[in-house]
Amino acid sequence: MLNGHARTTRTVLCKLLLCLLLPVSATMAPVLETKDGVDQEWRDRFIMGYFAELLRSNELAQRHAWAELTATRQSGDLRSQLRAVARYLLVTDSALLDCKLAKDSIEAARSAGAAYLRELFDVGVAAAGNMYPHRCPGLMDASELQALALQLGDPARQFFVLEAKALGLASANRFNDVIEVRTTQMNYAIAAFQRSYCMVDLVQATLRASPGSPKLNGLLEDANRELAGTEFAALRTNLDVMMFRSRLAEGDLKGALRIMDAALPAVRSGILGPHGSAFTLISFARALDRAHRSSEALALLEDSKHFNAPAKQISAFRSRVTLEVLTNLGTAKAFAHGLREVQHLSWLLADKAEFGPQHTRSHKITIAKFFERFGKHDVALAALAEANQAGEELERLASETARVELQERLKVAAKDRENSQLRAQAELQAERQRSWIAALGIALLGGVGTAAALGTAVRRGRQLARLSAELELRNTELEHRSASRIRLLAAACHDLRQPAHALGMLAELGHDAKREPARFSAWLQSVRRSADSLSDRLDELMDLGRLDGGRYTPQLSDVPLAELLHDVMQQFSGPAQRKGLSLQVATTEVHVVSDRHLLRRIIFNLVANAVKYTDEGVVRVDVHPEGDALELTVQDSGPGIPPDKLDDIFRDYVRLNPNKAEEGLGIGLSIVRRAAELLGHELALVSPPGKGTTASLHLPRRPAPPTSPGPARAAPTACVGGVIALLEDDADVCEAMAALLRRWGYVVHLGSDAQTVLAEITAQQHHPGLIITDLHLHNSDGLQEVNRLREALRDPELPALLVTGDMDTAISPLAADAGVHVTHKPLAPAKLSELVKTHIRSPSARTGHPPGPAT
């Protein structure tokens, strides 16, 4: 008996020693029943079972998953329980999921060891692909899932790793990146329905990234062919919904409604699950409202309540669309109904964990429009103020995110230097581990236990694998980020040199003005054009930086469209005339609700693009009222955009014709897309080959206030006068601005600080009606100098204007607290004249005292 036991012990120890002498990576791999790297049992269960059932009927898949989860809870079989959890997490609406269940299951699978790596992967990808990280922190991240998929071996698992990555990118509104991930994901599909699933989501991502893209029709046709005659009804219905949204994006409302009518029975049956069915019915109701079919829209909104979709986001979306329908109805009954919806929506928005500032802002704007429609202007203004407050909070969060990103970028260089050292240390540590384990194995033959040591080795091996995957992921991200910045810098350096070079040569020609006065006027116009070009490109760079970093908070207000269209005519009539084009700009008295600066940038960039790429014919800007909204179109008679390029024009650094000398930075339409998305203005582009291009922008309309007849706007002329204190430490800028102000009839006292200006004011016994200052002065900042001047003049309410090139978002609130208006360089003379006229105090309105010591 004892001899047999001893022989058994020696046999086990010898086998253990052989295992320990293998490389560490070999000891980490679990023993799986795979053939040629294919885990057939997993494929049959997870892909052909769970995932396929989800695409047949979301409702049935959720019902079956819940039944299995309930049945296994008391079974005591950990493997069955984990598989049931993975199935449940994969198919159930995210709003219904239990964060604790997901985290506890992941921890249980980890604690169970290598034998449960399959189940750990299944639970991890199901949770990561269907639960929002901000609602459920602590889930497995992309690098951990990637490392685990590689360890398990079957390449089909990469499909679900990329699924989790794509959904994470979509939640961050990075839809161009989603398109790239989905395209790669199709390479790992083992079944046709997986490819069809990717195609449907490619359509959705393309709709968000590039509205009106010609690739949509091709994607839809491919998906239709894949799904023809298949049993995947839920996927088929989802494709119909994408076709509906595609028609809406193209402006084909009638076509969208035809598709809606065909898909409606399936959606009402709940085939998309509670969340998906409710959301789709609400989207259909919004389309019916656009078609002025309000009663049908309200009926669909009621139908959407029949689904068990407790998500607050769905409930808020329903209330918002209901308010839009009721706003258009405008009846007393609609107002009473709307008050209940406002109360419900306000109650929902009180949950700050569920609704961030972005959602709050959009919902509050809808509430403001509702009250404005029924003449409750004070309540509407209060709601609009809350929307602006949410926008400020959004900007603060974006600034904090930017600060964290900056800190991480500063650490990148150090991380890069450490990468090679870490890899070398990892290899050295692995070699030492093998030697240590071999020695330990020999000791085991003498009776030493190895369980704890082996566990330590395996854990260290896993840590090394995760570290390597994380380093690889960070290197890839850094390469993409660096390449993007390099392209921007290269484009900026080239294109900013062009007008700067022209200005230098034209300045030299200025010396010949007296000898050739007839040509001097032409040279002066060239100087102005070069200065305008330089100013526009700097503005584009600043706008892109603020939009790209999420640091722009829209300031929604009543914008007279006539003023912007007047500016369009003033800005582009000259360039159009020089090319022999006819620029036709509509006249209108309509007011819209938007951010004045961003709307101006959108319209200007669209018109500039039309003028640039049209060689003959006409560029037309039209306005088409549509009920409580309007459509602004920019149409040209150019050659159109090639179908294979239409998808790219809204991306960064894209130049359709690099041979054109007047090409810009390649960011104009990228700014248009970002700004339109931020403002919630629907943007569409249609460009039949050879028939020109039409860009359309849908804007919320506001009735124009009554106005008394007055003179049309004119170029800056001499003013009745006033005294201005000018603080600027750049001598050239200071003299140029002072010369312009004096030309317009103002008395200007200038200097680089308050003390210098005050001495001049005191000597002349003047009291300024306005202070104009730069921010960054030699030994101080403009806000401090404004305060010193006000104190010395005993005039705390003295108007002040801060003109700065610094785009730091922290400046505006500081200036607002100080009662100082902020504008940014470069500043056109016409804009400067308008600002001075707006802010300068007339001599009769002085409230201060002559300068002197304070008492």
Side-chain angles (χ1 to χ4, degrees), residues 380-392:
L381 286 173
L384 199 58
E386 292 183 72
N388 288 333
Q389 185 178 3
E392 291 172 2

Side-chain angles (χ1 to χ4, degrees), residues 288-425:
L288 287 170
D289 182 50
R290 286 183 59 183
H292 307 292
R293 293 162 61 179
S294 303
S295 58
E296 295 174 70
L298 290 173
L300 275 190
L301 290 167
E302 282 299 313
D303 287 350
S304 71
K305 297 178 182 179
H306 299 160
F307 295 100
N308 181 27
K312 290 185 177 180
Q313 293 283 359
I314 288 290
S315 185
F317 182 39
R318 182 188 297 113
S319 289
R320 179 180 175 184
V321 175
T322 302
L323 280 175
E324 291 173 359
V325 177
L326 298 173
T327 300
N328 289 334
L329 281 174
T331 64
K333 186 177 179 181
F335 179 67
H337 185 177
L339 289 178
R340 295 193 296 272
E341 294 296 337
V342 169
Q343 184 178 11
H344 177 64
L345 187 54
S346 300
W347 174 77
L348 289 171
L349 294 178
D351 185 352
K352 300 303 181 184
E354 184 73 20
F355 295 92
Q358 184 172 1
H359 292 104
T360 300
R361 184 174 64 86
S362 59
H363 290 315
K364 288 294 183 181
I365 290 172
T366 301
I367 292 174
K369 291 178 181 178
F370 169 77
F371 282 114
E372 182 187 26
R373 174 67 175 83
F374 291 96
K376 307 296 183 181
H377 298 293
D378 53 341
V379 187
L381 286 173
L384 199 58
E386 292 183 72
N388 288 333
Q389 185 178 3
E392 291 172 2
E393 174 66 9
L394 186 63
E395 181 177 3
R396 187 191 66 77
L397 292 174
S399 299
E400 177 63 17
T401 301
R403 184 188 65 79
V404 173
E405 288 180 353
L406 178 59
Q407 287 181 337
E408 290 201 359
R409 284 198 297 271
L410 293 175
K411 295 176 183 176
V412 163
K415 286 287 185 183
D416 285 340
R417 288 194 298 269
E418 292 174 6
N419 281 351
S420 58
Q421 297 177 2
L422 287 171
R423 290 193 181 96
Q425 290 173 3

